[in-house]
Amino acid sequence: VIELAYTRAADAADAIRRAEGDNAKYLGGGTNLVDLMRENVEIPSALVDVTGLSAAIEDTGDGGLMIGAATRNTAVAEHRAVRTRYPMLTRAIVAGASAQIRNMATVGGNLLQRTRCTYFYDTEGARCNKRSPGEGCDAIEGFNRNHAILGASPACVATHPSDMCVALAALDAVVHLRGAARERTVALCDLHRLPEDHPDVETALEPGELITAVQLPSSDLAAHSTYRKVRDRSSYPFALVSVAAALELDGDAVADVRIALGGVAPKPWRAWRAEEALRGRPATVATFVEAADAELADARPLAGNAFKVELARRTLAAVLQQLTDGARR
Amino acid sequence: VPSHVTDDLAATEIALDHDELRERMSGNLCRCGAHNGIVDAIAEVYAGSGA
C-alpha cells in the first residue's frame, strides 16, 4: 500500500500552502494523473484537489477572455464566446478524448498532462529518460510511429499529447501562475520546454507553482480559425498530426496568419517559420506548401514516423486552403 | 455542446443526425458490430420523445 494524503484546496493561496514540502501534486480532473499513479509512473505523497478553484470564463474588457484553470474542458468548448470568437479552440477540445474525459478534465490539467509515449508508461519493461533521468530511451530505436519529428533530442522523442494546447499556442494564450512568493504570467508557447538533456523537466513552472488561469488575448483573426486532427480512427485516439490555424486575407494575399502543429513535437509547436513565409504572399496552394516546407525543413523523422513529414505538409496546406475558401465565401 | 462533426459552431440547435449520434456515442457504448442498430434505436427514441 502506498500512503497518500488527499485534501481539497479552498482557494489558490490555500492550495499553494497545502502543496508545500513533500512530493505533493495538484489534482484537477485526474484524467491523466490518476492513470499515471495506477501505473506507478507518478508516486506523489499528497494530492491537493484544485477543482474548487476558479472555473469562470470572463470577458477581460479588451475583447479577450480569462478562463479559470479549474474550468472543465467541455465548459470551454461549449462557451458561446469561445465558439464564435475562437472556434479553433472549441474544435481542438472536441477533437480530443471522449465526452466523459472532457467533462472531467480541467484546463490547468490539460496544460500539464504528460506524454502518452508507451515506453514512458512501461515502468517494468522499458527505459525512459523522462521517467528515470539518465536511464536511456527505448523509443528512439523502438516502436516510434507516434513520436516527434520536430524539437526532439537524443534523450527523448516523446510528443506532447494535448489538442487544446495546440489551439492555445496559435492563439497566443497567456498562462497565469501563482507561487508562494509571487504571481506571474508566461506565454503558452514558453510554458513547455524542449527535452534537450533533461526530458524530465517539461515546463517552465517553478516547484509548487499553480496555474490559476489561461488568458486569450483579443484577436480579430481568431474568428476565422479552425483545427484539423489526423488520427488512426476518427474518434478517441491522439493526433498523428494536427493543425490549428487562423487566417485573414487582404484581397488575394495573406494579411495575417497564426499556425500551431500538434502530434509532431515535444510541445505544442508554434509554426513561426510557416507564418513568416505566408504574410503578404498570395493565398495559393503553392505558397501554402512552401510555408509548410519552411516549417518542416528541420524535421528529423525516426524509423517509424517519416510519414508524419508528408502528412504535416499536406494537412497544413489543406487547412490553409480551407480557411482561404471560407474567407472568400 | 457542439461535437467533432458539428459544421456550424455558432448554431444554437444542433440536429442529431446519423454522424452526430455516432460521434456522441464515442466513449459511451461499444459499437463493435452493433452500432448501426444502436444508432437506429437512439434515433427512434429521440424522434418519439418530442425533443
Side-chain angles (χ1 to χ4, degrees):
Chain A
V1 175
I2 298 171
E3 293 285 331
L4 177 71
Y6 168 89
T7 56
R8 288 179 67 89
D11 54 40
D14 184 40
I16 291 157
R17 205 161 42 240
R18 287 174 188 273
E20 268 171 13
D22 49 10
N23 180 25
K25 286 265 175 195
Y26 296 120
L27 177 70
T31 55
N32 184 219
L33 180 54
V34 173
D35 283 350
L36 291 163
M37 290 168 62
R38 286 196 185 112
E39 301 290 337
N40 289 324
V41 178
E42 298 259 23
I43 310 177
S45 55
L47 291 179
V48 180
D49 187 328
V50 291
T51 54
L53 275 55
S54 173
I57 302 177
E58 291 167 329
D59 279 305
T60 51
D62 59 357
L65 287 180
M66 187 75 82
I67 303 170
T71 311
R72 308 289 177 168
N73 287 7
T74 297
V76 179
E78 74 174 342
H79 195 277
R80 181 135 293 270
V82 176
R83 285 159 67 171
T84 54
R85 280 149 58 187
Y86 306 94
M88 68 157 76
L89 182 53
T90 288
R91 295 226 180 268
I93 292 171
V94 298
S98 69
Q100 292 92 334
I101 292 171
R102 297 191 295 265
N103 289 346
M104 281 297 288
T106 62
V107 168
N110 187 302
L111 266 52
L112 298 183
Q113 68 177 301
R114 308 197 67 189
T115 185
R116 299 314 197 278
C117 173
T118 51
Y119 299 98
F120 174 64
Y121 277 75
D122 185 2
T123 54
E124 301 292 321
R127 294 176 305 154
C128 173
N129 286 320
K130 191 184 276 301
R131 175 162 38 74
S132 308
E135 184 177 68
C137 169
D138 278 337
I140 290 176
E141 300 289 326
F143 186 73
N144 47 36
R145 183 171 179 273
N146 295 323
H147 289 71
I149 56 171
L150 290 165
S153 78
C156 183
V157 292
T159 55
H160 194 269
S162 173
D163 291 297
M164 185 179 84
C165 286
V166 181
L168 293 178
L171 292 170
D172 293 302
V174 175
V175 182
H176 289 245
L177 304 173
R178 181 163 172 170
R182 60 175 179 147
E183 295 180 45
R184 64 180 180 124
T185 59
V186 58
L188 188 282
C189 291
D190 297 329
L191 178 71
H192 303 94
R193 57 180 296 283
L194 293 177
E196 300 173 344
D197 294 334
H198 288 284
D200 53 312
V201 183
E202 295 174 352
T203 70
L205 289 182
E206 291 163 6
E209 246 181 342
L210 174 71
I211 296 174
T212 55
V214 172
Q215 182 182 353
L216 301 181
S218 170
S219 170
D220 294 334
L221 204 56
H224 311 285
S225 70
T226 195
Y227 183 78
R228 189 179 297 189
K229 177 176 180 177
V230 183
R231 44 185 161 170
D232 286 327
R233 306 187 305 275
S234 65
S235 203
Y236 208 68
F238 290 90
L240 293 168
V241 164
S242 69
V243 174
L247 181 133
E248 199 166 57
L249 292 179
D250 179 10
D252 286 326
V254 176
D256 205 0
V257 65
R258 300 282 185 280
I259 304 167
L261 305 176
V264 294
K267 60 182 282 186
W269 191 262
R270 180 67 178 264
W272 303 106
R273 288 186 190 178
E275 291 178 14
E276 190 59 40
L278 286 164
R279 284 194 189 95
R281 301 282 312 286
T284 62
V285 173
T287 309
F288 301 155
V289 171
E290 213 174 288
D293 284 339
E295 193 61 50
L296 295 162
D298 287 343
R300 295 287 176 272
L302 303 159
N305 68 5
F307 74 96
K308 281 193 179 186
V309 181
E310 184 63 20
L311 189 60
R313 178 185 287 119
R314 292 185 188 200
T315 308
L316 177 52
V319 167
L320 293 172
Q321 187 60 51
Q322 178 193 334
L323 290 170
T324 300
D325 292 344
R328 286 185 173 141
R329 209 172 292 137
Chain B
V1 186
S3 85
H4 178 57
V5 299
T6 306
D7 278 333
D8 180 9
L9 293 186
T12 45
E13 293 286 327
I14 297 165
L16 292 181
D17 60 17
H18 183 82
D19 288 351
E20 286 283 0
L21 287 177
R22 281 179 54 124
E23 170 61 20
R24 286 156 198 272
M25 284 160 61
S26 173
N28 285 298
L29 295 169
C30 171
R31 295 162 295 162
C32 309
H35 68 265
N36 285 329
I38 298 172
V39 169
D40 289 348
I42 295 171
E44 188 181 316
V45 171
Y46 181 69
S49 71

